[in-house]
Amino acid sequence: MDKKTLKITGEYIKLQDLLKLSGLCQTGGHAKIVINNGEVKVNGEVCTMRGKKLRTGDIIEFDNEKIEVIMV
């Protein structure tokens, strides 16, 4: 699985917003479902908090995709 990077402006991005912005989920509702179902990992651990604040260096895994967050 290749790791992609996603550059974000600001201090942080919420997990559900990252899933939508990256295109891994089409809607906020879809993001909510996959997070609640325990299908998303943050830094190697399952995360069910859709409002989880992600910062530079955090790595998200979902649907055989891996994304590293980079705040600019």
Side-chain angles (χ1 to χ4, degrees), residues 29-40 46-49 62:
H30 181 229
K32 179 180 176 181
I33 290 167
V34 299
I35 293 168
N36 285 341
N37 287 344
E39 298 177 41
V40 181
V46 172
C47 181
T48 56
M49 298 170 29
F62 171 66

Side-chain angles (χ1 to χ4, degrees), residues 11-29:
E11 184 182 339
Y12 64 86
I13 185 170
K14 292 182 181 177
L15 179 57
Q16 67 180 12
D17 296 334
L18 179 132
L19 291 174
K20 290 188 299 184
L21 183 63
S22 67
L24 292 176
C25 291
Q26 296 299 315
T27 65

